[in-house]
Amino acid sequence: MNDIAKDTPAAKPAKARRSRRKPVVQEDGFREEVGPTELYDPIIRTEIKRAAVWIGMTAFVVGFVWLAQPLLLIMGGLVLAAMFDGGARLLGRVLPIPRSIRLTIVVLAVFGFMYWTFIFTGSELAAQAASLQAIVEAQIESIGNRIAAAGFNISAEDVKGFGTQILNSVGRVTEAVSSVVGTVTNMAMMLVLAIFIAAEPRMYERGVAWMLPLAEREHFYVTAAKMGNVLRRLMAGRLLGMAVEGFGTWILLSLGGVPMAALLGVLTGLLAFLPNIGAIVSGALIILVGFSAGVDVGLYAIFVYFVVQMVDGYLIVPMVAKRAVDLAPALVLGAQILLGALFGILGLALADPIIAMIKVALERQSERNEARAIREGP
C-alpha cells in the first residue's frame, strides 16, 4: 500500500519539488545551493511579492503625478456631467418629455449663456478688465506706502511683490491652465467629455462595473448612485450661489456708483465656485476698487460684500449644499490649499467635489463593514 501511495499522481509533484530542492554535488565536492532565480523557493516568492507591492505603489504615485492634469480634466468632466444631468432631471419635473430632449435643452442653454457673456458683455468687460489691474496695483502700492509711513520695515514694493506672488501662485503641475489657449482647450475638452457622459451615464457606469468582481458590483452601483446624487445637489447649490453673488454684487455695486460693477459682479460669480478662497479674493478686489473711488464708496463696497456673503452663507449654503454633504469648512479649505498647491487652479476648483466623493465612498465602506460585522456576529 505504501508503494502504491508513493506512485499516485498527487504524490509525484511533492516528490519532484523535494528533489529539486536537493543541492547538486559537483565532482570536486562543491555543493550547488538554491539561487535567487529559483522562484519556487517560498522565501524568494515572499520577497518578490513584497518588492512588487512597493514597486507598484511607487509606479502608481509617479503615474498619478505625471497624469495629474488629464485626471483632473476627467474629474472636471464628471462634475460638469453631474450638472447637466441635474439640469435635465430638474427640467423633467415641469416638462414630461424624453430625457435626451431635456439634456439637449440644458446644453444649448449653457452654450447660449456663454455666447451672451462673451458677445454682449465682452466689450464692456474687456474695457473694465484693462483698467482693473492698474487700479489694484495702485491700491496695493498705496497700502504699502501707508504701512511704511506707520513705521513698519515694509516697503511698497514688498507689498506689491507679495500680492503678485499670491495672484501668480497657480501651482506647478497645471501651468498650461494659466494661458488663454490652455484654458479654452481644457474647458472644451471637459465640456465634450461631460456631454458624452451625461448622454449615456449608465453605459459608462456598467463599463466601470464590468472591470470589478461580481461580488463588488452591487456595492459599486449603490456608491456611484449616491456620489451622483451628492454631486448634483452640491453643484445645484454652487450654481445658485454663483448666480446670487454675481448678479447681487453687480446690481448693488452699480446702485452705489462703484467702478467696474459689471466686471466685479462677473468675477464674484465665477469665484463663488471656489468656497472660502473665492470669497476672499473677490472681497479683496471689491474693496480695493471701491476705495479707489473714495472712502464713502469703499465703505459701501465693504457693506455690499458682507451682505452678499451673508445671504450666500446663511441662506443658500444651508438650504442646498449642506443638505447634500455636510463638509467642515476647515476640511474644504485645507483640501483647497493642498490640491491648489499640487495641481494648480483645476485642483483648487475641484477640491470640494473630490472631498465630497471621498466622504461618500468612506461612508459607504463604513456601512458595509458594519453590516458585515452584524452578519458575522460577535
Side-chain angles (χ1 to χ4, degrees), residues 37-50:
T37 58
E38 302 290 346
L39 300 182
Y40 61 82
D41 187 270
I43 298 178
I44 301 300
R45 287 175 177 268
T46 303
E47 295 301 325
I48 289 178
K49 290 180 180 179
R50 291 178 179 177

Side-chain angles (χ1 to χ4, degrees), residues 219 223 227 355-366:
H219 175 74
T223 303
M227 284 184 178
I355 293 299
M357 295 178 68
I358 292 176
K359 182 181 179 182
V360 172
L362 294 177
E363 288 177 349
R364 282 287 301 149
Q365 187 61 38
S366 177

Side-chain angles (χ1 to χ4, degrees), residues 100-175:
S100 58
I101 300 178
R102 288 184 275 119
L103 181 63
T104 303
I105 294 175
V106 172
V107 174
L108 291 178
V110 171
F111 281 100
F113 176 76
M114 294 172 61
Y115 177 81
W116 175 83
T117 302
F118 285 104
I119 298 300
F120 290 95
T121 64
S123 59
E124 181 180 0
L125 295 182
Q128 295 181 3
S131 58
L132 176 62
Q133 183 177 1
I135 292 177
V136 171
E137 290 180 354
Q139 289 296 100
I140 292 176
E141 186 175 358
S142 176
I143 293 174
N145 292 330
R146 293 181 181 181
I147 293 176
F152 293 95
N153 190 18
I154 300 176
S155 63
E157 293 297 328
D158 294 335
V159 178
K160 185 177 179 180
F162 178 71
T164 304
Q165 290 178 3
I166 294 177
L167 294 177
N168 292 336
S169 58
V170 293
R172 295 168 295 179
V173 179
T174 55
E175 295 178 355

Side-chain angles (χ1 to χ4, degrees), residues 52-229:
V53 170
W54 286 106
I55 293 174
M57 292 180 62
T58 304
F60 175 79
V61 173
V62 172
F64 181 82
V65 174
W66 184 263
L67 300 175
Q69 184 174 351
L71 292 176
L72 288 175
L73 290 178
I74 294 173
M75 182 64 197
L78 292 175
V79 173
L80 291 178
M83 296 169 64
F84 290 155
D85 183 61
R89 290 170 181 260
L90 184 63
L91 194 61
R93 296 182 180 181
V94 294
L95 292 178
I97 56 179
R99 181 182 180 277
S100 58
I101 300 178
R102 288 184 275 119
L103 181 63
T104 303
I105 294 175
V106 172
V107 174
L108 291 178
V110 171
F111 281 100
F113 176 76
M114 294 172 61
Y115 177 81
W116 175 83
T117 302
F118 285 104
I119 298 300
F120 290 95
T121 64
S123 59
E124 181 180 0
L125 295 182
Q128 295 181 3
S131 58
L132 176 62
Q133 183 177 1
I135 292 177
V136 171
E137 290 180 354
Q139 289 296 100
I140 292 176
E141 186 175 358
S142 176
I143 293 174
N145 292 330
R146 293 181 181 181
I147 293 176
F152 293 95
N153 190 18
I154 300 176
S155 63
E157 293 297 328
D158 294 335
V159 178
K160 185 177 179 180
F162 178 71
T164 304
Q165 290 178 3
I166 294 177
L167 294 177
N168 292 336
S169 58
V170 293
R172 295 168 295 179
V173 179
T174 55
E175 295 178 355
V177 180
S178 59
S179 63
V180 177
V181 177
T183 303
V184 174
T185 303
N186 292 335
M187 181 59 68
M189 288 190 294
M190 286 191 294
L191 284 173
V192 172
L193 185 64
I195 293 173
F196 283 139
I197 296 176
E200 294 289 343
R202 291 292 299 172
M203 180 179 67
Y204 298 101
E205 186 180 21
R206 289 192 296 266
V208 175
W210 176 77
M211 295 185 291
L212 300 176
L214 288 174
E216 301 292 332
R217 294 184 183 179
E218 182 180 359
H219 175 74
F220 167 77
Y221 283 130
V222 177
T223 303
K226 288 192 174 184
M227 284 184 178
N229 184 43

Side-chain angles (χ1 to χ4, degrees), residues 23 65 69-70 81 84 93 111 134 140 176 241 250 253 255 258 260 277 282 287 306 325 342 347 351 356 374:
V65 174
Q69 184 174 351
F84 290 155
R93 296 182 180 181
F111 281 100
I140 292 176
W250 188 342
L253 292 181
L255 294 177
V258 179
M260 295 175 291
I277 293 179
S282 62
I287 294 171
F306 279 106
V325 51
L342 291 176
I374 293 175

Side-chain angles (χ1 to χ4, degrees), residues 295-375:
V295 178
D296 295 338
V297 179
L299 294 177
Y300 177 76
I302 295 176
F303 170 75
V304 170
Y305 170 72
F306 279 106
V307 168
V308 172
Q309 292 302 321
M310 287 179 64
V311 171
D312 181 56
Y314 290 97
L315 180 62
I316 298 176
V317 173
M319 181 179 65
V320 181
K322 287 190 176 181
R323 290 185 180 180
V325 51
D326 190 9
L327 295 176
L331 176 62
V332 176
L333 182 58
Q336 288 177 341
I337 294 173
L338 178 62
L339 295 180
L342 291 176
F343 308 123
I345 191 65
L346 279 178
L348 184 65
L350 298 175
D352 201 12
I354 290 175
I355 293 299
M357 295 178 68
I358 292 176
K359 182 181 179 182
V360 172
L362 294 177
E363 288 177 349
R364 282 287 301 149
Q365 187 61 38
S366 177
E367 294 173 0
R368 187 183 189 186
N369 294 337
E370 184 178 357
R372 183 180 300 171
I374 293 175
R375 289 197 305 267

